[in-house]
Amino acid sequence: MAEHNELLMIKNMYDLEHTEAKELLEGLTYPWEALPHIGEFIKKLGQKIDEENTGEYIKRGDSVWIHKTAKVFDSAFFGDNVIIGADSEVRQCAFIRGNALVGKNCVVGNSTELKNVILFDTVQVPHYNYVGDSILGYRSHMGAGSITSNVKSDKTLVVVKGYDEYSDINIETGLKKFGAMLGDYVEVGCNSVMNPGSVIGRHTNVYPLSPIRGFVPEKSIVKTGNVIITKIGL
């Protein structure tokens, strides 16, 4: 294993006490390994909700479960295999295509699109965001217009790479669709693009209009021109 690969592991990016996906993620090494299993995992959680029948969730169709405390606008669309957690808000014209596990106290904003994602608790994707084949950690936030690009232009399989002192990171994922893995407390500026295979460590801030590619270590600031500096005092 490359020296720095451990930095990208689930145990170093996420507090699993803040997601209903804990059971799925704690059995894996890297977060993107969960992507092919999100849909089936949501079905399993939904079946458990049905069996327990506590009345906490309202079921729509065969495979959409919405917590009764969630606020959902009538114009929001839900595909298959969706769970919306307690006190979350799904705003006007949100397009949740399917395979979306949305935690507690989240905001899915107007015209935001979700597909094959896990949103930890208190995640905000509030304005015109596309989030596909991605995992967003606890209290992460994507500014208006920021998106995850989940397929490479040449359609080849995604490889997660590092840079400079992290150049030993070169992990073949075997995945054609892979958006971004955002660690806990990541802040992404407006109109930034997470290119396929982006992995951003905890407590990192990304400036607006930034194109992100590969691994960004925790407690970093990504400035204009892809200049990465380390936060001081954290």
Side-chain angles (χ1 to χ4, degrees), residues 1-225:
M1 176 181 291
E3 178 183 354
H4 291 117
N5 282 12
E6 189 170 347
L7 300 175
L8 290 78
M9 292 181 179
I10 291 168
K11 64 181 182 180
N12 291 319
M13 291 189 61
Y14 302 107
D15 180 349
L16 298 184
E17 297 306 314
H18 294 290
T19 178
E20 294 296 325
K22 177 180 179 179
E23 181 181 347
L24 172 62
L25 293 171
E26 65 184 358
L28 304 172
T29 301
Y30 297 111
W32 56 84
E33 294 172 349
L35 295 178
H37 308 292
I38 292 174
E40 286 301 317
F41 184 74
I42 291 172
K43 288 182 182 179
K44 180 180 176 182
L45 286 180
Q47 290 170 0
K48 183 178 179 182
I49 291 171
D50 289 342
E51 291 169 1
E52 293 178 349
N53 194 25
T54 62
E56 293 184 4
Y57 286 84
I58 299 169
K59 190 173 184 181
R60 292 190 179 185
D62 294 329
S63 58
V64 176
W65 295 265
I66 300 173
H67 197 276
K68 65 181 181 180
T69 63
K71 182 178 181 180
V72 177
F73 285 80
D74 291 339
S75 57
F77 173 87
F78 296 92
D80 295 329
N81 306 323
V82 175
I83 294 177
I84 306 296
D87 298 309
S88 287
E89 184 173 344
V90 183
R91 295 176 177 167
Q92 295 95 330
C93 299
F95 181 32
I96 303 180
R97 286 169 54 187
N99 294 351
L101 177 57
V102 177
K104 303 173 184 176
N105 301 302
C106 292
V107 176
V108 181
N110 57 302
S111 302
T112 290
E113 180 178 349
L114 303 182
K115 192 273 292 186
N116 201 46
V117 296
I118 295 171
L119 273 55
F120 278 53
D121 298 340
T122 322
V123 168
Q124 293 189 341
V125 283
H127 310 288
Y128 305 104
N129 305 108
Y130 172 70
V131 187
D133 300 286
S134 298
I135 298 176
L136 277 54
Y138 178 60
R139 288 191 177 274
S140 60
H141 169 260
M142 292 180 64
S146 60
I147 66 170
T148 64
S149 174
N150 61 339
V151 180
K152 294 172 65 177
S153 59
D154 62 6
K155 307 301 188 294
T156 58
L157 301 181
V158 174
V159 178
V160 177
K161 297 182 179 180
Y163 65 96
D164 296 339
E165 64 179 296
Y166 301 101
S167 60
D168 58 336
I169 294 175
N170 189 50
I171 307 174
E172 296 184 4
T173 69
L175 299 171
K176 182 179 178 181
K177 294 187 177 182
F178 177 154
M181 307 289 120
L182 305 189
D184 297 337
Y185 298 97
V186 168
E187 289 280 343
V188 177
C190 297
N191 290 320
S192 293
V193 177
M194 314 299 112
N195 285 286
S198 295
V199 181
I200 303 178
R202 289 170 168 162
H203 295 281
T204 288
N205 290 69
V206 177
Y207 273 26
L209 299 173
S210 296
I212 302 299
R213 188 181 304 277
F215 172 62
V216 178
E218 66 176 25
K219 301 176 183 177
S220 294
I221 298 174
V222 183
K223 295 189 172 186
T224 305

